Amino acid sequence: MLAPYSHRRILAILFGSMLLLFWVEQAAINSYWRQTFHQPSLLEGLDALPPWREGGALGVGLRMGSEALQQRVGQWDRRMIDSLNACCLREQPAKRESAAIALAKPAAQASAPAAAALDRRLPVREGLPVLLAGDSMMQGVALHLLPPLYRQHQIKAIDASKQSTGLTYPDFFNWPATIERQLAANPKVQLLVVFIGANDTWDMVSGNRYIRFASPEWEQRYRERIRSILASAGKRRVQVLWLGLPNMNRDKLKDGVHYLNGLYREEVTAAGGRFLSTRETLGSQDDAFTKFMTLPGQGEVAVRTADGVHFTRQGQVLLARRVLSELRFE
Amino acid sequence: MTYLSIEFALAFIGFFAVYWGARRVQGLQNLLLLLASYGFYAKLDWRFAAILALYTLCQYGLTRRMLASERPKRWLQAALVLAVGNLALFKYFDFFRESAQTALYALGVQAMLPALDILMPVGISFYTFQSISYLVSVYRKEIKPATLPQFALFLAFFPTLLAGPICRAQDLLEQLRSRAPRMVKQLDRALGLIVLALLKKLWLAGWLASAWVDPVFAAPDSFNILEVWAAFYAYALQIYLDFSGYTDLVTALALLLGIQLPRNFDAPYLALNLRDFWRRWHISLSSWIRDYVYIPLGGNRQGFARAQINLLAAMLLSGLWHGASLKYLVWGAMHGLGVVGLNVGDKLWRRDAVSSVSPWLARLLTFHYVCLAWVFFRAQSLDEAVDFLRAMFVSSNQELTLNAPGLLVLLALWLWALPKLSVLKERSFVRLAVLPWWGKPLLLSLCALLVISVSPSGIPAFIYYQF
């Protein structure tokens, strides 16, 4: 048994490990810090020192190496999947006899052309995939969208949603680029559903400058990011269904969401997409946050969680149903 | 602020310096721990800290009354009612209200039960069980009663506050109030456990969840049967890596503060039968349920049949402890019935009939049964669990979208290597010890960098925070 180290030495070990990590991962830490605390991290003050920047370069190299490796593994994966599919499996949607299919089919096929013209729902073809994008709000709703889409319409949904993301901090997570990549990789996608914005009511960062939330410059940049997503979909003739933000019960978000909804509504409508307000689905008719709503046969049910942002399971189900009701399956 | 965030790491290093700076005055060290624990908890939500403080005060007061009373059992019962009532209010109120509301509607009663806006404090299930351990130990005179600051620290100790392990008063409380000077006795073990936690949670559990478990569980029938089977095994591995990774991390934090936490895992998927599994999985919960539920119910002292009923009751409670949901009840019942079945089998044939013939067959059978129960644990509801199981057995001819054969091979390799992995872990800690002190940060940060570079981005939350 070795003698225990002095506490100073242990502190040096812990601190040294931390410092080395910070040195190499400085870029990731800086963007995390800005995204979480909405101010620059102390590390950014060290950028003037060339030895400090060296660590950043090392970090970039490591990141690129790791991405290249992951890409190689991904390609190998893809090849293995393709060869397995080619040798043993033919592409055909599963013919699972479920009661849901039997129930859903007649309704979808009953629409005559004349009725279809009057029908404001977005037409989607059975068997072609849809892409779901957004933050943790979408993660919750996606859970209840995927099964009915597949079971009733053989539509596979690609769920690309990721918590703590948005359009304000592209350095942290770049949604326009992600959606462009996803649509390029999945050319059969016919519809993009977006539910985003809960992490977006903050100042933006440009170099060492802050762009105040909702200022004209902020708005211009934010609109460009929305447009970029809409353009990715537009050039591939992918329809867009953009969900508005519900009322929130968190100080910073309360007013911000109404402003953001205005931007989404204008941009999406201008690009020929469909903007869908969600607050009515969750029991609000105005700007007031409601945690509970009365449902037939269930009484008062909580639809929002305690954090004043997310949805309970019941809330997620209601939103998923609302999305489905906006689609006409052909 | 979770244990795996940058700000926590910074705060912990700062706290470490101050804490060991006060090492000559143990009372001051404990005061610092108490303040840090409450600060950490209040940072999550100040109301959580307020509820814990109030709960601590009430239980402390009841313990004092119990000690001064001629009829201590009554006061113990009152304290237990408070513990269970407090937990039930925060954890089960909504479930009971909605169930009662549905029942009223079914009976044609148009009454509205009030909807309370209740927020469940993270960690409440863990500190409630710890407080019960303290109350019973004091009542049985196994330990001396604690002062208020000691008791408060025992419940709020920040490394174990959010998700255990559930510590016993005889262990953690005694360590906290021991007069012996505290020291970091196992630095290399602590450093090794931190790396292991990053590897398990940040990389492996994160990857399994995002690439396999989450997509397949969300819509199992839209995947090929092989992919569903791969996700079936992947979740068993994910939950183990998630929870044992969490335990490794908090054990390391406690070691760095000079405190030893109880063991929570002992290679659970090497269990030869279900009884054995429960000696190896979430040990602090299963042993708590054994000592405070199963044995007080009568244990096996009243004959075989009664012992099985007690066992089933304990297992159902273990399921419900995770949450007020039918799926947890089913999960608990599956484990309860499994162990009862095992006991009946032992009686009819002989003990360890399978494992004595082939340990690997026994392991595989146990592992599959545990995986089957996990499906109910993971699914959002009973219906979803049934959908998942149906997708496992209904053959589909869909194209693969995930490399299921690849993952199945990896999982088989992991199972095969499992006996060697636990030995490897201990060996690595020993190797780390011979490294000179200045080499440790180099190795530690290099390992962490490698893990971070292949991990999904973002700060992950642990599965067991929700309990």
Side-chain angles (χ1 to χ4, degrees):
Chain A
M1 173 74 201
L2 298 163
Y5 285 111
S6 75
H7 298 110
R8 281 207 191 97
R9 187 145 285 180
I10 298 173
L11 185 61
I13 291 170
L14 294 175
F15 190 75
S17 312
M18 194 81 196
L19 199 62
L20 281 167
L21 265 178
F22 279 17
W23 182 55
V24 177
E25 285 288 332
Q26 51 187 270
I29 286 163
N30 289 341
S31 59
Y32 168 79
W33 207 262
R34 283 179 181 270
Q35 206 243 0
T36 311
F37 301 105
H38 314 290
Q39 56 182 354
S41 77
L42 289 173
L43 298 183
E44 291 186 35
L46 299 169
D47 283 348
L49 306 171
W52 181 255
R53 289 203 301 269
E54 280 304 311
L58 253 175
V60 171
L62 184 74
R63 180 77 47 195
M64 280 163 67
S66 133
E67 275 169 11
L69 177 73
Q70 288 181 58
Q71 220 160 18
R72 294 255 307 267
V73 173
Q75 284 164 352
W76 179 81
D77 244 4
R78 197 64 259 169
R79 275 204 302 276
M80 190 167 161
I81 293 169
D82 290 344
S83 60
L84 279 163
N85 284 338
C87 86
C88 320
L89 299 158
R90 280 169 300 104
E91 182 167 19
Q92 55 173 75
K95 291 271 182 284
R96 297 221 174 128
E97 277 316 312
S98 74
I101 293 178
L103 282 173
K105 277 283 164 69
Q109 288 162 352
S111 50
L118 293 171
D119 193 337
R120 281 202 69 257
R121 292 177 303 172
L122 292 171
V124 286
R125 286 180 50 201
E126 303 210 326
L128 290 180
V130 301
L131 176 64
L132 309 178
D135 52 26
S136 47
M137 300 184 302
M138 177 54 104
Q139 282 179 322
V141 176
L143 285 176
H144 307 284
L145 269 179
L146 270 67
L149 276 174
Y150 187 78
R151 268 174 222 159
Q152 296 167 29
H153 311 287
Q154 290 80 56
I155 289 176
K156 220 170 179 163
I158 302 158
D159 178 14
S161 58
K162 190 164 173 56
Q163 73 280 4
S164 312
T165 58
L167 301 181
T168 300
Y169 296 98
D171 287 353
F172 186 76
F173 192 89
N174 190 330
W175 267 114
T178 304
I179 287 171
E180 170 64 31
R181 212 174 36 241
Q182 284 280 4
L183 291 176
N186 300 288
K188 287 183 183 168
V189 166
Q190 58 177 328
L191 168 74
L192 165 68
V193 187
V194 184
F195 196 9
I196 205 162
N199 304 300
D200 280 351
T201 52
W202 300 96
D203 300 350
M204 281 181 194
V205 184
S206 172
N208 285 334
R209 198 164 61 87
Y210 274 86
I211 304 163
R212 187 153 297 289
F213 172 66
S215 64
E217 189 184 351
W218 191 100
E219 181 167 322
Q220 185 204 341
R221 286 173 183 241
Y222 199 82
R223 281 180 187 268
E224 278 167 10
R225 290 165 198 174
I226 302 171
R227 276 180 214 147
S228 168
I229 291 173
L230 294 167
S232 284
K235 72 182 180 199
R236 295 182 178 83
R237 312 188 70 166
V238 173
Q239 301 180 91
V240 176
L241 175 59
W242 197 296
L243 307 189
L245 289 158
N247 296 329
M248 299 283 188
N249 198 25
R250 206 183 266 181
D251 282 348
K252 187 75 187 143
L253 279 166
K254 260 185 191 149
D255 302 323
V257 294
H258 308 310
Y259 164 75
L260 289 178
N261 279 341
L263 304 187
Y264 302 144
R265 187 188 294 275
E266 281 173 27
E267 293 298 335
V268 174
T269 312
R274 175 73 52 89
F275 175 84
L276 180 63
S277 171
T278 58
R279 62 194 200 184
E280 296 78 7
T281 307
L282 298 162
S284 306
Q285 293 309 322
D286 51 16
D287 290 358
F289 173 86
T290 46
K291 182 173 176 177
F292 297 94
M293 64 186 289
T294 306
L295 293 175
Q298 284 173 275
E300 253 196 326
V301 173
V303 289
R304 306 295 291 271
T305 55
D307 63 11
V309 176
H310 294 97
F311 318 109
T312 60
R313 186 184 153 77
Q314 189 68 59
Q316 293 165 352
V317 170
L318 289 171
L319 285 168
R321 282 190 198 147
R322 181 67 191 86
V323 169
L324 290 171
S325 70
E326 200 67 14
L327 308 177
R328 185 177 75 244
F329 298 93
E330 298 176 337
Chain B
M1 180 157 79
T2 102
Y3 299 115
L4 266 183
S5 63
I6 296 163
E7 52 272 38
F8 180 83
L10 285 169
F12 183 80
I13 290 177
F15 178 75
F16 181 92
V18 176
Y19 175 79
W20 288 112
R23 67 184 170 279
R24 302 199 196 292
V25 193
Q26 201 164 54
L28 182 57
Q29 274 193 316
N30 280 355
L31 181 66
L32 287 169
L33 269 180
L34 183 62
L35 290 173
S37 299
Y38 267 90
F40 171 68
Y41 207 29
K43 185 91 185 58
L44 284 180
D45 193 317
W46 67 268
R47 290 167 297 182
F48 293 173
I51 290 161
L52 175 58
L54 189 66
Y55 178 77
T56 303
L57 283 171
C58 292
Q59 290 295 31
Y60 178 74
L62 287 169
T63 314
R64 293 201 46 165
R65 298 302 297 264
M66 178 173 82
L67 290 163
S69 163
E70 299 284 302
R71 305 167 80 175
K73 193 164 187 175
R74 281 198 169 185
W75 289 105
L76 173 71
Q77 284 164 342
L80 295 178
V81 167
L82 172 69
V84 175
N86 184 57
L87 183 63
L89 171 71
F90 286 107
K91 199 160 174 163
Y92 306 116
F93 179 85
D94 263 348
F95 174 78
F96 287 130
R97 190 192 68 86
E98 283 177 20
S99 309
Q101 186 73 68
T102 312
L104 284 180
Y105 272 111
L107 295 170
V109 181
Q110 288 297 319
M112 280 288 236
L113 293 173
L116 295 181
D117 191 356
I118 291 183
L119 174 66
M120 189 187 93
V122 180
I124 189 167
S125 318
F126 295 90
Y127 70 67
T128 300
F129 274 25
Q130 285 197 183
S131 69
I132 291 174
S133 137
Y134 170 79
L135 291 163
V136 173
S137 291
V138 170
Y139 172 76
R140 292 178 183 161
K141 300 204 166 33
E142 290 162 349
I143 57 165
K144 282 205 195 89
T147 61
L148 180 58
Q150 287 169 347
F151 178 57
L153 176 56
F154 168 63
L155 292 192
F157 184 56
F158 75 82
T160 62
L161 178 61
L162 300 189
I166 301 164
C167 300
R168 302 295 176 90
Q170 287 140 298
D171 177 17
L172 180 61
L173 180 63
E174 294 301 6
Q175 284 189 71
L176 290 169
R177 64 185 177 186
S178 156
R179 294 251 172 239
R182 244 171 245 171
M183 58 172 78
V184 184
K185 286 182 185 148
Q186 298 175 299
L187 173 71
D188 299 290
R189 186 177 193 81
L191 299 179
L193 285 172
I194 290 173
V195 170
L196 201 60
L198 292 176
L199 182 79
K200 283 178 173 179
K201 169 65 196 173
L202 214 56
W203 177 32
L204 292 171
W207 170 70
L208 283 169
S210 60
W212 291 92
V213 178
D214 295 349
V216 179
F217 267 87
D221 43 3
S222 66
F223 286 90
N224 183 288
I225 193 164
L226 276 180
E227 291 164 326
V228 183
W229 275 88
F232 171 74
Y233 296 126
Y235 181 65
L237 187 52
Q238 184 209 332
I239 194 169
Y240 166 70
L241 291 168
D242 192 289
F243 196 21
S244 75
Y246 159 86
T247 306
D248 289 343
L249 185 66
V250 298
T251 303
L253 296 177
L255 280 175
L256 290 171
L257 300 171
I259 302 290
Q260 190 107 28
L261 293 184
R263 197 169 187 193
N264 220 9
F265 291 93
D266 179 12
Y269 294 144
L270 285 180
L272 294 168
N273 57 49
L274 265 194
R275 251 194 323 263
D276 192 21
F277 175 78
W278 279 102
R279 282 194 290 266
R280 295 160 168 268
W281 174 271
H282 202 175
I283 301 167
S284 66
L285 174 69
S286 54
S287 63
W288 193 99
I289 299 260
R290 180 197 64 210
D291 294 347
Y292 297 102
V293 180
Y294 174 70
I295 292 174
L297 279 174
N300 56 5
R301 298 188 302 276
Q302 294 147 324
F304 181 81
R306 178 62 200 268
Q308 306 318 302
I309 292 168
N310 293 341
L311 215 157
L312 197 57
M315 281 295 189
L316 287 174
L317 186 81
S318 163
L320 274 181
W321 174 88
H322 290 88
S325 165
L326 210 51
K327 61 178 194 153
Y328 292 127
L329 203 63
V330 170
W331 176 80
M334 282 180 74
H335 275 280
L337 291 169
V339 179
V340 168
L342 189 68
N343 291 342
V344 171
D346 286 352
K347 238 185 156 49
L348 290 177
W349 294 284
R350 64 187 171 90
R351 212 176 158 89
D352 302 332
V354 181
S355 57
S356 57
V357 174
S358 165
W360 272 109
L361 179 63
R363 265 178 203 151
L364 279 175
L365 286 172
T366 307
F367 178 63
H368 277 84
Y369 191 83
V370 170
C371 287
L372 187 68
W374 282 139
V375 171
F376 290 88
F377 198 92
R378 168 59 179 78
Q380 301 284 326
S381 64
L382 268 186
D383 288 348
E384 274 185 29
V386 172
D387 286 342
F388 187 91
L389 294 174
R390 190 183 305 121
M392 283 174 70
F393 296 102
V394 176
S395 169
S396 68
N397 201 20
Q398 291 167 81
E399 289 210 317
L400 289 170
T401 46
L402 303 165
N403 188 353
L407 185 74
L408 290 168
V409 169
L410 280 179
L411 288 168
L413 280 174
W414 163 73
L415 266 180
W416 169 78
L418 211 47
K420 298 169 187 67
L421 285 176
S422 43
V423 181
L424 182 73
K425 183 175 93 176
E426 294 302 325
R427 260 197 216 149
S428 310
F429 294 162
V430 174
R431 286 270 165 84
L432 192 60
V434 295
L435 198 67
W437 76 269
W438 50 265
K440 294 184 203 290
L442 289 171
L443 184 68
L444 193 65
S445 48
L446 182 69
C447 293
L449 275 171
L450 289 175
V451 171
I452 290 167
S453 69
V454 290
S455 299
S457 62
I459 302 285
F462 291 98
I463 292 178
Y464 271 70
Y465 282 2
Q466 62 190 308
F467 307 133

